[in-house]
Amino acid sequence: MTHHAVLLRGLLGVTAAAALLTTAAGAATAQTAPAAHAAAAPAKTLGAQSSAGRYLVDGARIHTQPSTTSTTVGYGYGSHSVTVHCRRVVAGQEWFYHTDNTTRVTGWGRYVVVVPFIAVGDC
């Protein structure tokens, strides 16, 4: 086998392996994509996946929008399990879109009442 044939054969092998890895990675990504939130969930543009979190106070209001004047749809307590999906800064206040896993209520809470354990992306 000539030197060029050996190089060509090696290059074809590497190219085929790369194609298989790319296809496998694409399939794995498609299978492990996170489930969509409720229809009213904000679009997540960047950052980490959702994070577990906790309520800092008992009776934390869960709002429909990142605003203290929006409708309260539930209350969170320190004993409840929380998943924080993303964050948004409104008028200098950090808000977290989250789900109270104990009551299954999803909405917004300010940084003074709910926090993620790790940083989450922007909504």
Side-chain angles (χ1 to χ4, degrees):
M1 188 176 289
T2 68
H3 177 70
H4 292 291
V6 170
L7 289 176
L8 181 59
R9 188 173 180 185
L11 180 60
L12 290 174
V14 170
T15 304
L20 285 173
L21 288 174
T22 302
T23 302
T29 301
Q31 293 172 354
T32 59
H37 298 297
K44 189 169 177 183
T45 57
L46 48 96
Q49 296 291 325
S50 298
S51 167
R54 70 182 184 101
Y55 289 110
L56 300 174
V57 300
D58 284 335
R61 292 176 184 258
I62 303 172
H63 295 273
T64 57
Q65 298 294 321
S67 167
T68 56
T69 60
S70 68
T71 303
T72 298
V73 292
Y75 297 90
Y77 293 87
S79 62
H80 291 186
S81 168
V82 178
T83 301
V84 180
H85 306 291
C86 57
R87 68 181 279 280
R88 183 179 293 166
V89 177
V90 177
Q93 301 286 313
E94 188 173 33
W95 288 81
F96 292 104
Y97 186 72
H98 69 285
T99 299
D100 180 324
N101 299 317
T102 304
T103 62
R104 302 267 187 225
V105 174
T106 299
W108 294 89
R110 287 191 323 142
Y111 69 98
V112 295
V113 299
V114 64
V115 293
F117 290 145
I118 61 171
V120 294
D122 293 336
C123 298

